[in-house]
Amino acid sequence: MTLAVTLAAAVGIGLLLGLLGGGGSILTVPVLIYLAGQAPEAAIPASLFVVAVTSAVALIPHARAGRVKWRVGLVFGVAGLAGAYAGGRLAAHLPATVLLVGFGLLMAAAATVMIRSCRRPVRPAPHAGRLPILIGLGVTVGLVTGLVGAGGGFVIVPVLVLLAGLPMAAAVGTSLLVITLQAAAGLAGHLQHAVIDWPITLAVTALAIVGSLAGARLSAHLPAQLLRTSFGWFLVAMAGTVLLAQAPAAARHALAGTSGGRIALVAGCAALAVAAARHVRICRASTPRPR
């Protein structure tokens, strides 16, 4: 049963990567840890393998449709290779708890950007696309990629829109190019000290590729802004789950081990679901339908 859920989640990871140019990769680590039962030290490099291969395949239909800005993507991506490699090497010297807490906080930050994108129009920065800016941002995003095993598309897409001046459709396709380069570099940094469970990793990768191709085909027909907002709320729930799992035992017991704590937890989840549904409904009403 757990294996079936893991493989179904793999399709979802690929679907989000192909559709949004990011988002699916941030789920790979939790899927491998909490569903496939891998240790964080093995899940992070396995995640990078899944993300690198899946993104490379999803890039193909976007490139054929002219939705990839190669110059911007290569500058941003190559600049991030050193950061991604350094992040992969640095991860060997940090406790798993520190990495997962950082991962949870990163998801919460990404969720905030996605949720707020519905009501705030995208306006490129005055110096959008300048080479020093692209290089600096590429190195920073690459470091995060290698350190926590996420492809970084949830950060790359907004950066490409706001600071590189790309339209949303081009940012999605170009993000996949950057993710492929940076995830591959992060994997290289991990391979010197990691042991990967190849059977489950290859199975997850194969199904993620199927999902990514479907997502790339759908991307031209669905409002990406609405989907990113919806996924942002899902990331809120995922971030809360990861951070709760890394909380001190006393705090976890207070929430899950007592009647009052369980009631508070259920009430909080219900309030989150209501707020998410209301926000998505408002966003849907204000989002133009794709032609």
Side-chain angles (χ1 to χ4, degrees), residues 75 77 80 86 97 130 159 212 214 239 246 258 271 286:
V75 170
T97 299
R130 286 196 174 181
V159 165
S212 73
Q246 301 306 313
T258 64
S286 62

PDB file of all heavy atoms in Angstrom, residues 75 77 80 86 97 130 159 212 214 239 246 258 271 286:
ATOM      1  N   VAL A  75      23.089  30.978 -18.220  1.00  0.00           N
ATOM      2  CA  VAL A  75      23.855  31.851 -17.309  1.00  0.00           C
ATOM      3  C   VAL A  75      23.444  31.596 -15.862  1.00  0.00           C
ATOM      4  O   VAL A  75      24.285  31.399 -14.977  1.00  0.00           O
ATOM      5  CB  VAL A  75      23.643  33.334 -17.673  1.00  0.00           C
ATOM      6  CG1 VAL A  75      24.223  34.242 -16.582  1.00  0.00           C
ATOM      7  CG2 VAL A  75      24.287  33.654 -19.016  1.00  0.00           C
ATOM      8  N   GLY A  77      21.844  28.981 -14.639  1.00  0.00           N
ATOM      9  CA  GLY A  77      22.111  27.605 -14.228  1.00  0.00           C
ATOM     10  C   GLY A  77      23.578  27.322 -13.996  1.00  0.00           C
ATOM     11  O   GLY A  77      23.956  26.719 -12.982  1.00  0.00           O
ATOM     12  N   GLY A  80      24.916  28.661 -10.886  1.00  0.00           N
ATOM     13  CA  GLY A  80      24.477  27.917  -9.705  1.00  0.00           C
ATOM     14  C   GLY A  80      25.175  26.583  -9.510  1.00  0.00           C
ATOM     15  O   GLY A  80      24.994  25.948  -8.465  1.00  0.00           O
ATOM     16  N   ALA A  86      28.674  22.821  -3.795  1.00  0.00           N
ATOM     17  CA  ALA A  86      29.071  23.152  -2.423  1.00  0.00           C
ATOM     18  C   ALA A  86      27.977  22.753  -1.431  1.00  0.00           C
ATOM     19  O   ALA A  86      28.268  22.250  -0.338  1.00  0.00           O
ATOM     20  CB  ALA A  86      29.370  24.644  -2.307  1.00  0.00           C
ATOM     21  N   THR A  97      18.393  16.714  11.223  1.00  0.00           N
ATOM     22  CA  THR A  97      17.348  17.578  11.781  1.00  0.00           C
ATOM     23  C   THR A  97      17.501  19.012  11.292  1.00  0.00           C
ATOM     24  O   THR A  97      16.514  19.672  10.940  1.00  0.00           O
ATOM     25  CB  THR A  97      17.391  17.543  13.319  1.00  0.00           C
ATOM     26  OG1 THR A  97      17.163  16.202  13.762  1.00  0.00           O
ATOM     27  CG2 THR A  97      16.331  18.453  13.912  1.00  0.00           C
ATOM     28  N   ARG A 130      20.168  41.633 -15.887  1.00  0.00           N
ATOM     29  CA  ARG A 130      21.580  41.998 -15.914  1.00  0.00           C
ATOM     30  C   ARG A 130      22.439  40.816 -15.453  1.00  0.00           C
ATOM     31  O   ARG A 130      22.084  40.094 -14.530  1.00  0.00           O
ATOM     32  CB  ARG A 130      21.848  43.210 -15.035  1.00  0.00           C
ATOM     33  CG  ARG A 130      21.332  44.502 -15.658  1.00  0.00           C
ATOM     34  CD  ARG A 130      21.931  45.706 -15.005  1.00  0.00           C
ATOM     35  NE  ARG A 130      21.537  46.937 -15.685  1.00  0.00           N
ATOM     36  CZ  ARG A 130      21.938  48.146 -15.321  1.00  0.00           C
ATOM     37  NH1 ARG A 130      22.730  48.298 -14.280  1.00  0.00           N
ATOM     38  NH2 ARG A 130      21.546  49.213 -15.999  1.00  0.00           N
ATOM     39  N   VAL A 159      11.949  34.322  -9.483  1.00  0.00           N
ATOM     40  CA  VAL A 159      13.167  35.091  -9.739  1.00  0.00           C
ATOM     41  C   VAL A 159      13.296  35.412 -11.227  1.00  0.00           C
ATOM     42  O   VAL A 159      13.642  36.538 -11.604  1.00  0.00           O
ATOM     43  CB  VAL A 159      14.401  34.304  -9.245  1.00  0.00           C
ATOM     44  CG1 VAL A 159      15.686  34.895  -9.815  1.00  0.00           C
ATOM     45  CG2 VAL A 159      14.463  34.326  -7.722  1.00  0.00           C
ATOM     46  N   SER A 212       5.612  14.378 -15.739  1.00  0.00           N
ATOM     47  CA  SER A 212       6.179  15.628 -16.245  1.00  0.00           C
ATOM     48  C   SER A 212       5.780  15.883 -17.687  1.00  0.00           C
ATOM     49  O   SER A 212       5.530  17.030 -18.079  1.00  0.00           O
ATOM     50  CB  SER A 212       7.703  15.612 -16.123  1.00  0.00           C
ATOM     51  OG  SER A 212       8.286  14.752 -17.082  1.00  0.00           O
ATOM     52  N   ALA A 214       3.023  14.839 -19.105  1.00  0.00           N
ATOM     53  CA  ALA A 214       1.610  15.240 -19.077  1.00  0.00           C
ATOM     54  C   ALA A 214       1.480  16.689 -18.614  1.00  0.00           C
ATOM     55  O   ALA A 214       0.687  17.463 -19.161  1.00  0.00           O
ATOM     56  CB  ALA A 214       0.824  14.313 -18.155  1.00  0.00           C
ATOM     57  N   ALA A 239       4.864  22.006   4.917  1.00  0.00           N
ATOM     58  CA  ALA A 239       5.859  22.623   5.789  1.00  0.00           C
ATOM     59  C   ALA A 239       5.513  22.388   7.249  1.00  0.00           C
ATOM     60  O   ALA A 239       6.380  22.070   8.071  1.00  0.00           O
ATOM     61  CB  ALA A 239       5.954  24.121   5.498  1.00  0.00           C
ATOM     62  N   GLN A 246       9.930  17.430  13.300  1.00  0.00           N
ATOM     63  CA  GLN A 246      11.259  17.736  13.840  1.00  0.00           C
ATOM     64  C   GLN A 246      11.201  18.502  15.160  1.00  0.00           C
ATOM     65  O   GLN A 246      12.241  18.837  15.718  1.00  0.00           O
ATOM     66  CB  GLN A 246      12.054  18.556  12.811  1.00  0.00           C
ATOM     67  CG  GLN A 246      12.242  17.870  11.477  1.00  0.00           C
ATOM     68  CD  GLN A 246      12.859  16.502  11.606  1.00  0.00           C
ATOM     69  OE1 GLN A 246      13.853  16.334  12.315  1.00  0.00           O
ATOM     70  NE2 GLN A 246      12.288  15.512  10.936  1.00  0.00           N
ATOM     71  N   THR A 258      -2.319  14.393  23.590  1.00  0.00           N
ATOM     72  CA  THR A 258      -3.309  14.810  24.581  1.00  0.00           C
ATOM     73  C   THR A 258      -4.611  15.169  23.871  1.00  0.00           C
ATOM     74  O   THR A 258      -4.601  15.559  22.697  1.00  0.00           O
ATOM     75  CB  THR A 258      -2.815  16.035  25.383  1.00  0.00           C
ATOM     76  OG1 THR A 258      -2.660  17.158  24.497  1.00  0.00           O
ATOM     77  CG2 THR A 258      -1.481  15.742  26.052  1.00  0.00           C
ATOM     78  N   ALA A 271      -9.307  25.182  10.024  1.00  0.00           N
ATOM     79  CA  ALA A 271      -9.227  26.618   9.716  1.00  0.00           C
ATOM     80  C   ALA A 271      -8.323  26.867   8.512  1.00  0.00           C
ATOM     81  O   ALA A 271      -8.632  27.707   7.651  1.00  0.00           O
ATOM     82  CB  ALA A 271      -8.699  27.371  10.936  1.00  0.00           C
ATOM     83  N   SER A 286     -10.663  35.951 -10.025  1.00  0.00           N
ATOM     84  CA  SER A 286      -9.924  37.108 -10.535  1.00  0.00           C
ATOM     85  C   SER A 286      -8.891  36.749 -11.581  1.00  0.00           C
ATOM     86  O   SER A 286      -8.201  37.623 -12.104  1.00  0.00           O
ATOM     87  CB  SER A 286      -9.221  37.836  -9.379  1.00  0.00           C
ATOM     88  OG  SER A 286      -8.272  36.981  -8.769  1.00  0.00           O
TER      89      SER A 286
END
